[in-house]
Amino acid sequence: MRATPKSCVVGVDFGTLSGRAVVVRVADGAELGSATYDYPHGVVDRALPGSGAPLPPDWALQVPDDYRGVLRFAVPAALADGGVDPGDVIGIATDFTACTMIPTTADGTPLNELPEFTGNRHAYVKLWKHHAAQPQADRINALARERGEPWLRRYGGLVSSEWEFAKGLQILEEAPDVYAAMDRWVEAADWIVWQLCGNYVRNACTAGYKALRQDGAYPSRDFLTALNPAFAGFVADKVDQPIGQLADRAGGLSARGAELTGLPEGIAVAVGNVDAHVTAPAARATRPGQMVAIMGTSTCHVMNAGTLGEVPGMCGVVDGGITPGLWGYEAGQSGVGDIFDWFVTTSVPGDYQREARRRGIGVHELLTELATGQAVGEHGLVALDWHSGNRSVLVDHELSGLVVGLTLATRPEDVYRALIEATAFGTRRIIDSFASAGLPVTELVVAGGLLRNPLLMRIYADVTNLPLSTIGSEQGPALGAAIHAAVAAGAHADIHAASEAMGRKNDAVHVPVPANVAAYDELYREYCHLHDHFGRDASDVMHRLKAIRRAAVDRHPGREVA
């Protein structure tokens, strides 16, 4: 379909709690209409739908039909919101959280939709923040180090429990009947494209970052056999599939996809992608040295470079993983917005909540206001941002949060500010690791919902001592997906050209204040001492506490333990 001045594309962003669709004009990136669909089941981390069977700690599941709901409701609603004729749409693209995995039959049916597996927790989607496969990840790391597997260096020396192999091995060892019935172990990013066009194409991004595919190959059958003999055929039988490059066309919209979305059959469906990686072109940050921090419930840091390097604790480096022709690097923090929400939900007194209601603002806004007037270090606290474990640079989801310096005079706004600072220190630790590996970060570009918090943004600029630019869209991933759809439909020559035409960035919105930079340097040194003591040195108290918690749960089967 030839592009015209009225031609549009649809980008659909599948997040942790909801999916968002945006209709974008190809010529200039104007966002004409948008709509959001909340997943009815949200994050399943307490009990299975229907049966109510309790889930152990560190589990996080989802229901795949919630994703279909985004196509059924959000896409038509976005078209209606923008007054866009479906006939003007020439392509659709999607992005997803990762590593979010779906066990399916050979035709793509999720196993939880089969009657015999509706009550089996291993038959559901394992969401990106499912961390219950840490023992399997530990064994993968130990064996890879023992054997000197060259691919391990591409992941900073550690494989995460969030990724495909650890989660797949967990299914084999805990639910062999589910594993036997699983014909395909599918990234949700690829499954949704499969639903749209009828073709199962693995995207190069998740295959590289989450499935350990490097230089055209996955870990060997010999390696898998050494992990578990029954795991030997995992790649050949469950994982391997044709690879699609980012912004390529995966196929045309099928009759089923057209029925789901209300879009014309046959339009371009782009190869799947990850929410963080797809955001880089939306923020006009596809060049080397521009690190994009997509800040929401968690933060993912992505950056292109012209050279291959080894960054300790990075999530991965993949040739063409963000932009074709460049090495794409990824790092991240497992908890950011989640940590702030946890604190507000569990630890703020009633009088603060009543004051927020009286003033017609949220508790987050009230705490931000109260914390804004503080001098750096005034609260006397330093925290570790590991409430959801550590993704980078320690890659250890057994770690947990910590606040040091509490006294009887400590107020909620003090802790709230310290938690914001802790996440900023975590980002600086990642940036420092890249710089030490010869990959300097020259600009930090922030996307995601948290950029609306001015205190957070100011703290990040001061802590990192970098100018902070911001994406010029509230729908960064969805806009990025739309940019990929435009390339897949042939409306732009490549991602760089599409990014220039359709992306948006506000340059240097927040700049470091030298006095604050110096003050934060002192606090950052204290953060680093705690980081190394609890994360690297002799103290393994956090691991022991996790073990004690699991033992308590095991002693009380069927009882919900908070």
Side-chain angles (χ1 to χ4, degrees), residues 109-170:
T109 302
L111 293 190
N112 75 288
E113 296 179 1
L114 303 180
E116 62 266 37
F117 290 121
T118 56
N120 192 312
R121 64 195 185 209
H122 282 287
Y124 286 77
V125 177
K126 282 186 168 58
L127 185 60
W128 64 268
K129 62 178 180 177
H130 174 89
H131 294 146
Q134 187 64 49
Q136 286 77 16
D138 292 341
R139 285 164 49 208
I140 291 170
N141 287 321
L143 182 63
R145 285 192 297 268
E146 177 187 324
R147 292 166 55 101
E149 295 287 345
W151 47 261
L152 189 61
R153 295 193 299 272
R154 300 278 180 94
Y155 302 97
L158 288 166
V159 170
S160 171
S161 67
E162 296 180 2
W163 298 352
E164 290 189 23
F165 280 67
K167 287 174 174 173
L169 185 58
Q170 184 192 20

Side-chain angles (χ1 to χ4, degrees), residues 352 379-381 403 405-416:
Y352 279 71
H379 51 51
L381 306 174
V403 181
L406 295 170
T407 73
L408 295 178
T410 302
R411 300 163 299 174
E413 59 265 34
D414 301 333
V415 179
Y416 191 76

Side-chain angles (χ1 to χ4, degrees), residues 109-297:
T109 302
L111 293 190
N112 75 288
E113 296 179 1
L114 303 180
E116 62 266 37
F117 290 121
T118 56
N120 192 312
R121 64 195 185 209
H122 282 287
Y124 286 77
V125 177
K126 282 186 168 58
L127 185 60
W128 64 268
K129 62 178 180 177
H130 174 89
H131 294 146
Q134 187 64 49
Q136 286 77 16
D138 292 341
R139 285 164 49 208
I140 291 170
N141 287 321
L143 182 63
R145 285 192 297 268
E146 177 187 324
R147 292 166 55 101
E149 295 287 345
W151 47 261
L152 189 61
R153 295 193 299 272
R154 300 278 180 94
Y155 302 97
L158 288 166
V159 170
S160 171
S161 67
E162 296 180 2
W163 298 352
E164 290 189 23
F165 280 67
K167 287 174 174 173
L169 185 58
Q170 184 192 20
I171 293 180
L172 168 67
E173 295 179 340
E174 297 182 11
D177 55 337
V178 174
Y179 186 84
M182 180 177 75
D183 295 310
R184 298 286 184 267
W185 186 224
V186 189
E187 275 278 1
D190 299 324
W191 182 81
I192 204 67
V193 171
W194 195 356
Q195 296 289 296
L196 286 168
C197 70
N199 294 332
Y200 178 18
V201 179
R202 287 223 56 167
N203 73 85
C205 180
T206 56
Y209 289 107
K210 312 303 180 183
L212 311 182
R213 186 179 185 271
Q214 293 287 344
D215 301 323
Y218 298 97
S220 68
R221 185 180 185 92
D222 183 53
F223 177 82
L224 301 177
T225 302
L227 278 173
N228 185 321
F231 203 53
F234 178 66
V235 166
D237 300 338
K238 317 285 188 184
V239 170
D240 200 13
Q241 201 71 19
I243 299 294
Q245 298 303 314
L246 303 185
D248 279 357
R249 179 185 171 112
L253 189 67
S254 66
R256 172 176 168 75
E259 181 182 357
L260 278 170
T261 61
L263 296 173
E265 186 175 350
I267 65 170
V269 178
V271 168
N273 210 325
V274 178
D275 50 2
H277 304 70
V278 80
T279 303
R284 289 184 177 170
T286 62
R287 306 297 176 184
Q290 295 177 295
M291 177 172 280
V292 182
I294 301 89
M295 299 177 64
T297 55

Side-chain angles (χ1 to χ4, degrees), residues 361-378:
I361 61 177
V363 178
H364 286 282
E365 287 75 19
L366 177 63
L367 292 174
T368 296
E369 178 185 302
L370 293 172
T372 295
Q374 294 185 4
V376 176
E378 179 182 329

Side-chain angles (χ1 to χ4, degrees), residues 393-410:
V393 296
L394 299 173
V395 196
D396 186 349
H397 293 290
E398 295 291 279
L399 297 174
S400 48
L402 179 74
V403 181
V404 174
L406 295 170
T407 73
L408 295 178
T410 302

